[in-house]
Amino acid sequence: MSTRRQFLSVLTAPGLLLGIAPGANSSSPAAAFVPDGQADDAAVFAAAREHFLIPAGVAYCNTGTLGASPREVVHALTEGVRRIEAELAAWPYEQADGEPLTGYQQLLKARTALGRFVNAPAAEIALTQNATMGINFLANGLDLAAGDEVVSTDQEHGGGISPWRLLAKRRGIVVNELPLEPAFAGGPDAIVRLFEAALTPRTKVVMFSHITSGLGALLPTRELCALARDRGALAIVDGAQAVGQVQVDLKALGCDAYVGSPHKWMMAPKGTGFMYLRRDVQDRFWTTLASYQWDNHEDGAFRFMQFGTGSVAVVDGLVAALGFIDKVRMPRIERWDAGLTKRLRDGLASIPKVHIASPADPRLTAAITTFRVDGIKAKALQDALWTKGVRVRAQDDERGVRLSAHLYVSPADVDVVLDVTRAVAESA
């Protein structure tokens, strides 16, 4: 039996196909995680790992695509679905707020909780389904005309750059996608200079990722936002890879708009997103997905939540994810992820034929590392890691694979990655 087949046979053992440990009762309420206040980071994260449905022996290193949710988030989600179905007939439908419909009610509890997490009032937060939805609202909501310029980078996620490319084709705006990788060697200052040289009197928007998706480059977000606003342009930030990975203070960053996908590093249910829009620029954006409250400017970002019927249960899960993070604390999560990343990169640097595509400057480093082995296709390296239970995501062959090191990854998991990579390099 091949190694791959043996591994799959483990995954398909009773219960494990659903991510449930043998003997676990999947219908019982999830016991909430309570960190030991006296424990060190290693003990806290080892205990936290037990609260995820990821099978034992599997290292999930693909948070950059989808984060894993802890049991209490899964329970909040499933209980939310059950509660709605049990109480559906009892809803009086006399007022929008409180109905089992996401796209019509204000959901102030969730928006307030999320706002506290990123330092913004609820009136500046709209709940969406993901960062792509938020960027589309922002791009299509502006009155951009032919010749107006948007300055971005060549490292943006498709959901971040495509709305602007669409406007270039539809309205004739100019989208300037700056080549970012050559500036990495010069550090944050070189990136700021790259943007500064690209801005013109026609620049209306500066749009970029807080942390880039493919290479995990932590960009000098505060400095770029200040530059944009000094030049009279809107600063719009894609934070899909940042929120939940690093501490985000929207007021300190000084951006005009910021979008996030809590289903990644915040470990919220899949299909959760948010859009922050500073109150004093909100009137510059049209509502482009409209229902009853499409023109309600009094209640702030609420008018951008008019997308019709959705799932209230995923919002329950989002609030539970915020509660889980609050117990672990973002400074500790950021410190743990950074430690895992340093361990990984130090180890990779010692392996011949391995090349790290992510920026080497520690000021640009995040918990995403993209690397390759000379002579080995990205998919082959991905598959080799998976035979040992490590899930990463293949990029193109020039970059290799992308590894996301989040709180449910351990130092021992990193060592497995290094062992497999060394074996692959030696066989190349």
Side-chain angles (χ1 to χ4, degrees):
M1 182 183 293
S2 69
T3 304
R4 179 177 182 274
R5 186 176 299 174
Q6 289 173 334
F7 185 72
L8 289 175
S9 71
V10 172
L11 291 185
T12 54
L16 287 183
L17 189 61
L18 299 178
I20 302 169
N25 183 355
S26 62
S27 63
S28 63
F33 174 55
V34 180
D36 182 348
Q38 304 302 313
D40 61 14
D41 287 356
V44 167
F45 289 110
R49 175 64 175 80
E50 298 300 315
H51 287 257
F52 289 84
L53 295 172
I54 306 165
V58 173
Y60 184 68
C61 302
N62 192 30
T63 301
T65 300
L66 289 173
S69 294
R71 290 178 183 272
E72 57 199 80
V73 171
V74 175
H75 178 68
L77 176 65
T78 55
E79 174 60 19
V81 172
R82 187 209 63 77
R83 186 176 63 254
I84 286 174
E85 297 306 322
E87 301 174 1
L88 196 62
W91 291 103
Y93 300 98
E94 294 171 351
Q95 60 183 23
D97 217 27
E99 290 182 359
L101 307 167
T102 55
Y104 299 100
Q105 59 173 305
Q106 295 213 24
L107 300 170
L108 281 173
K109 176 184 175 183
R111 290 163 65 199
T112 299
L114 184 55
R116 280 197 299 267
F117 185 63
V118 294
N119 190 25
E124 296 180 332
I125 298 288
L127 299 183
T128 64
Q129 292 183 6
N130 47 56
T132 297
M133 180 183 282
I135 290 288
N136 273 270
F137 284 168
L138 295 166
N140 289 295
L142 286 171
D143 283 325
L144 297 177
D148 288 341
E149 296 174 356
V150 174
V151 174
S152 188
T153 83
D154 64 352
Q155 298 292 314
E156 302 308 315
H157 185 276
I161 196 63
S162 295
W164 310 104
R165 291 174 177 170
L166 183 154
L167 292 178
K169 185 173 183 178
R170 181 182 178 189
R171 298 183 188 170
I173 73 167
V174 177
V175 182
N176 187 0
E177 300 177 34
L178 305 178
L180 199 52
E181 286 185 73
F184 287 163
D189 291 344
I191 294 173
V192 174
R193 289 194 299 270
L194 178 69
F195 275 80
E196 187 174 20
L199 299 185
T200 78
R202 296 302 303 267
T203 303
K204 305 300 181 184
V205 175
V206 175
M207 179 269 160
F208 60 93
S209 294
H210 192 165
I211 296 175
T212 65
S213 177
L215 298 179
L218 175 62
L219 300 189
T221 301
R222 184 183 309 190
E223 293 80 2
L224 292 177
C225 289
L227 173 64
R229 295 181 64 181
D230 285 347
R231 296 292 189 89
L234 290 165
I236 297 179
V237 182
D238 180 351
Q241 298 291 351
V243 184
Q245 179 187 159
V246 297
Q247 299 170 76
V248 173
D249 183 332
L250 295 176
K251 296 305 179 183
L253 291 178
C255 54
D256 293 295
Y258 192 102
V259 301
S261 290
H263 58 250
K264 295 181 185 288
W265 300 83
M266 287 176 63
M267 304 167 289
K270 287 64 184 167
T272 51
F274 76 90
M275 180 181 76
Y276 160 81
L277 193 54
R278 198 160 53 86
R279 191 61 187 258
D280 60 359
V281 301
Q282 287 182 7
D283 287 346
R284 296 173 62 178
F285 292 83
W286 288 91
T287 309
T288 55
L289 184 55
S291 191
Y292 293 102
Q293 298 294 324
W294 72 271
D295 205 24
N296 176 357
H297 290 251
E298 294 181 3
D299 291 323
F302 174 49
R303 65 186 169 96
F304 297 98
M305 294 170 53
Q306 302 297 299
F307 51 81
T309 302
S311 173
V312 176
V314 299
V315 180
D316 295 338
L318 171 59
V319 173
L322 287 164
F324 183 86
I325 292 172
D326 187 59
K327 287 183 291 186
V328 183
R329 301 294 183 185
M330 271 308 305
R332 172 179 270 162
I333 294 172
E334 186 173 351
R335 182 171 66 240
W336 183 255
D337 290 5
L340 293 173
T341 301
K342 186 178 187 306
R343 187 186 190 96
L344 173 67
R345 294 196 182 189
D346 287 350
L348 291 174
S350 70
I351 303 174
K353 300 183 182 179
V354 170
H355 297 273
I356 299 176
S358 299
D361 190 317
R363 296 170 296 177
L364 304 177
T365 297
I368 292 174
T369 302
T370 302
F371 64 96
R372 65 179 170 87
V373 176
D374 282 345
I376 301 295
K377 291 186 177 298
K379 181 67 162 53
L381 180 55
Q382 171 190 277
D383 292 348
L385 287 163
W386 183 233
T387 63
K388 297 298 183 181
V390 179
R391 170 55 69 203
V392 297
R393 183 169 182 176
Q395 307 289 293
D396 57 52
D397 291 336
E398 180 63 26
R399 290 182 173 183
V401 301
R402 183 187 67 180
L403 187 151
S404 305
H406 203 26
L407 63 86
Y408 30 69
V409 177
S410 72
D413 294 331
V414 171
D415 292 344
V416 172
V417 173
L418 296 174
D419 289 343
V420 172
T421 304
R422 186 174 294 105
V424 169
E426 290 173 352
S427 66

